[in-house]
Amino acid sequence: MTMNSMQECRASSPAGAGLDPAVALFHSLSDATRLAIVQHLAAGEARVADLISELGLAQSTVSAHVACLRDCGLVVGRAQGRQMFYSLARPELLDLLATAETLLDATGNAVALCPNFGTDTASATTGEAGR
């Protein structure tokens, strides 16, 4: 997935409503590539080159998603010579991910069947879910 603009990184809110920080947080983690980057960084700092080889994505895609996470305050960079090493900005993010895993386990991944946001929307809409 290529990000065409940083607009894709921003959460949209209803007209006239203020942007809820919780919505922005979960929106920043709702993209599969950004979540994969966060999960990789949970193991320790990495360069964009490391993330490219781990995720198998283009440099421009990985860089755009890392920039989004950095702009959201979830990732920080540390320069070492000409290289930049990225890491999670807050250890609480690990707690959030662990809690999400626990919730997914407890619900049997039922959210995957959600008709709006689920990963199995095709089978859920055709009545094949749960077979």
Side-chain angles (χ1 to χ4, degrees):
M1 173 190 139
T2 303
M3 290 181 64
N4 296 326
S5 71
M6 289 313 291
Q7 187 68 10
E8 292 182 38
C9 178
R10 297 187 186 118
S12 58
S13 61
L19 181 63
D20 181 1
V23 171
L25 170 65
F26 287 108
H27 184 77
S28 69
L29 297 172
S30 68
D31 180 86
T33 299
R34 289 192 295 272
L35 187 56
I37 290 169
V38 168
Q39 288 178 326
H40 185 77
L41 293 178
E45 65 181 9
R47 303 168 301 152
V48 168
D50 302 325
L51 297 169
I52 291 168
S53 64
E54 178 72 24
L55 302 173
L57 298 171
Q59 183 272 331
S60 59
T61 300
V62 173
S63 291
H65 285 291
V66 168
C68 176
L69 291 166
R70 191 184 62 236
D71 291 345
C72 292
L74 300 177
V75 167
V76 293
R78 176 184 64 83
Q80 182 175 338
R82 293 177 28 191
Q83 299 183 69
M84 185 67 76
F85 289 84
Y86 294 96
S87 62
L88 298 181
R90 304 289 312 183
E92 295 88 351
L93 189 51
L94 296 173
D95 296 336
L96 177 65
L97 294 176
T99 301
E101 291 288 331
T102 301
L103 179 60
L104 289 170
D105 287 344
T107 62
N109 293 316
V111 70
L113 300 176
C114 172
N116 295 314
F117 302 111
T119 57
D120 196 17
T121 56
S123 63
T125 57
T126 60
E128 299 173 15
R131 289 186 189 177

